[in-house]
mmCIF file of all heavy atoms in Angstrom:
data_model
loop_
_atom_site.group_PDB
_atom_site.id
_atom_site.type_symbol
_atom_site.label_atom_id
_atom_site.label_comp_id
_atom_site.label_asym_id
_atom_site.label_seq_id
_atom_site.Cartn_x
_atom_site.Cartn_y
_atom_site.Cartn_z
ATOM 1 N N LEU A 49 -31.464 4.798 2.250
ATOM 2 C CA LEU A 49 -30.105 4.186 1.751
ATOM 3 C C LEU A 49 -30.436 2.849 1.169
ATOM 4 O O LEU A 49 -29.922 2.472 0.079
ATOM 5 C CB LEU A 49 -29.178 4.122 2.880
ATOM 6 C CG LEU A 49 -27.830 3.482 2.590
ATOM 7 C CD1 LEU A 49 -27.139 4.234 1.475
ATOM 8 C CD2 LEU A 49 -26.993 3.366 3.806
ATOM 9 N N ARG A 53 -29.536 1.776 -2.759
ATOM 10 C CA ARG A 53 -28.562 0.714 -3.056
ATOM 11 C C ARG A 53 -29.275 -0.442 -3.755
ATOM 12 O O ARG A 53 -28.636 -1.168 -4.446
ATOM 13 C CB ARG A 53 -27.931 0.223 -1.815
ATOM 14 C CG ARG A 53 -26.941 1.276 -1.167
ATOM 15 C CD ARG A 53 -25.797 1.603 -2.174
ATOM 16 N NE ARG A 53 -24.858 2.473 -1.615
ATOM 17 C CZ ARG A 53 -24.564 3.634 -2.088
ATOM 18 N NH1 ARG A 53 -25.092 4.083 -3.211
ATOM 19 N NH2 ARG A 53 -23.647 4.406 -1.502
ATOM 20 N N ALA A 60 -27.743 3.491 -8.073
ATOM 21 C CA ALA A 60 -27.370 2.767 -6.899
ATOM 22 C C ALA A 60 -25.914 3.076 -6.613
ATOM 23 O O ALA A 60 -25.460 2.889 -5.432
ATOM 24 C CB ALA A 60 -27.526 1.297 -7.068
ATOM 25 N N VAL A 62 -24.401 6.061 -6.620
ATOM 26 C CA VAL A 62 -24.200 7.492 -6.083
ATOM 27 C C VAL A 62 -23.501 7.420 -4.638
ATOM 28 O O VAL A 62 -23.995 6.639 -3.786
ATOM 29 C CB VAL A 62 -25.492 8.287 -6.063
ATOM 30 C CG1 VAL A 62 -26.485 7.775 -5.024
ATOM 31 C CG2 VAL A 62 -25.217 9.779 -5.772
ATOM 32 N N PRO A 63 -22.495 8.186 -4.498
ATOM 33 C CA PRO A 63 -21.876 8.147 -3.072
ATOM 34 C C PRO A 63 -22.849 8.757 -2.067
ATOM 35 O O PRO A 63 -23.498 9.668 -2.290
ATOM 36 C CB PRO A 63 -20.621 9.069 -3.251
ATOM 37 C CG PRO A 63 -20.414 9.224 -4.740
ATOM 38 C CD PRO A 63 -21.711 8.959 -5.402
ATOM 39 N N VAL A 64 -22.934 8.109 -0.889
ATOM 40 C CA VAL A 64 -23.829 8.488 0.184
ATOM 41 C C VAL A 64 -23.070 8.714 1.474
ATOM 42 O O VAL A 64 -22.312 7.791 1.932
ATOM 43 C CB VAL A 64 -24.899 7.476 0.429
ATOM 44 C CG1 VAL A 64 -25.811 7.896 1.560
ATOM 45 C CG2 VAL A 64 -25.801 7.174 -0.819
ATOM 46 N N MET A 66 -23.621 9.564 5.360
ATOM 47 C CA MET A 66 -24.686 9.538 6.372
ATOM 48 C C MET A 66 -24.378 10.562 7.466
ATOM 49 O O MET A 66 -23.242 10.589 7.965
ATOM 50 C CB MET A 66 -24.862 8.192 6.997
ATOM 51 C CG MET A 66 -25.250 7.079 6.027
ATOM 52 S SD MET A 66 -26.853 7.112 5.414
ATOM 53 C CE MET A 66 -27.765 6.488 6.844
ATOM 54 N N VAL A 77 -22.094 1.584 12.268
ATOM 55 C CA VAL A 77 -21.886 0.300 11.657
ATOM 56 C C VAL A 77 -23.091 -0.080 10.743
ATOM 57 O O VAL A 77 -22.949 -0.557 9.628
ATOM 58 C CB VAL A 77 -21.653 -0.853 12.708
ATOM 59 C CG1 VAL A 77 -21.656 -2.211 12.055
ATOM 60 C CG2 VAL A 77 -20.281 -0.585 13.384
ATOM 61 N N ILE A 78 -24.253 0.189 11.248
ATOM 62 C CA ILE A 78 -25.525 -0.148 10.473
ATOM 63 C C ILE A 78 -25.443 0.606 9.142
ATOM 64 O O ILE A 78 -25.639 0.024 8.089
ATOM 65 C CB ILE A 78 -26.801 0.171 11.217
ATOM 66 C CG1 ILE A 78 -26.974 -0.827 12.368
ATOM 67 C CG2 ILE A 78 -28.026 0.196 10.273
ATOM 68 C CD1 ILE A 78 -28.109 -0.425 13.367
ATOM 69 N N GLY A 79 -25.134 1.912 9.160
ATOM 70 C CA GLY A 79 -25.117 2.673 7.931
ATOM 71 C C GLY A 79 -24.017 2.167 7.027
ATOM 72 O O GLY A 79 -24.317 2.021 5.802
ATOM 73 N N LEU A 80 -22.852 1.878 7.450
ATOM 74 C CA LEU A 80 -21.799 1.309 6.561
ATOM 75 C C LEU A 80 -22.061 0.006 6.066
ATOM 76 O O LEU A 80 -21.871 -0.242 4.826
ATOM 77 C CB LEU A 80 -20.500 1.375 7.412
ATOM 78 C CG LEU A 80 -19.928 2.761 7.737
ATOM 79 C CD1 LEU A 80 -18.818 2.597 8.705
ATOM 80 C CD2 LEU A 80 -19.552 3.531 6.476
ATOM 81 N N GLU A 81 -22.733 -0.821 6.862
ATOM 82 C CA GLU A 81 -23.114 -2.150 6.389
ATOM 83 C C GLU A 81 -24.142 -2.059 5.275
ATOM 84 O O GLU A 81 -24.264 -2.962 4.456
ATOM 85 C CB GLU A 81 -23.527 -3.099 7.465
ATOM 86 C CG GLU A 81 -22.356 -3.601 8.362
ATOM 87 C CD GLU A 81 -22.781 -4.516 9.444
ATOM 88 O OE1 GLU A 81 -23.978 -4.616 9.750
ATOM 89 O OE2 GLU A 81 -21.832 -5.067 10.087
ATOM 90 N N MET A 82 -25.034 -1.117 5.382
ATOM 91 C CA MET A 82 -26.075 -0.946 4.318
ATOM 92 C C MET A 82 -25.584 -0.336 3.113
ATOM 93 O O MET A 82 -26.295 -0.223 2.193
ATOM 94 C CB MET A 82 -27.232 -0.069 4.970
ATOM 95 C CG MET A 82 -27.977 -0.870 6.113
ATOM 96 S SD MET A 82 -29.328 0.156 6.787
ATOM 97 C CE MET A 82 -30.385 0.146 5.398
ATOM 98 N N GLY A 83 -24.370 0.170 3.057
ATOM 99 C CA GLY A 83 -23.818 0.609 1.797
ATOM 100 C C GLY A 83 -23.454 2.114 1.810
ATOM 101 O O GLY A 83 -23.097 2.684 0.753
ATOM 102 N N ALA A 84 -23.438 2.794 2.983
ATOM 103 C CA ALA A 84 -23.057 4.171 3.031
ATOM 104 C C ALA A 84 -21.533 4.212 2.772
ATOM 105 O O ALA A 84 -20.794 3.297 3.028
ATOM 106 C CB ALA A 84 -23.295 4.846 4.352
ATOM 107 N N ASP A 85 -21.130 5.252 2.117
ATOM 108 C CA ASP A 85 -19.720 5.433 1.831
ATOM 109 C C ASP A 85 -18.896 6.055 2.974
ATOM 110 O O ASP A 85 -17.731 5.894 3.134
ATOM 111 C CB ASP A 85 -19.483 6.280 0.583
ATOM 112 C CG ASP A 85 -20.088 5.571 -0.577
ATOM 113 O OD1 ASP A 85 -19.535 4.590 -1.086
ATOM 114 O OD2 ASP A 85 -21.134 6.001 -1.105
ATOM 115 N N ASP A 86 -19.613 6.858 3.834
ATOM 116 C CA ASP A 86 -19.044 7.354 5.053
ATOM 117 C C ASP A 86 -20.168 7.855 5.944
ATOM 118 O O ASP A 86 -21.229 8.069 5.525
ATOM 119 C CB ASP A 86 -18.049 8.575 4.668
ATOM 120 C CG ASP A 86 -17.038 8.774 5.777
ATOM 121 O OD1 ASP A 86 -17.107 8.129 6.837
ATOM 122 O OD2 ASP A 86 -16.296 9.758 5.592
#
Side-chain angles (χ1 to χ4, degrees):
L49 178 61
R53 292 299 184 237
V62 66
V64 177
M66 301 287 284
V77 169
I78 289 170
L80 292 170
E81 286 181 350
M82 291 182 67
D85 295 289
D86 199 2

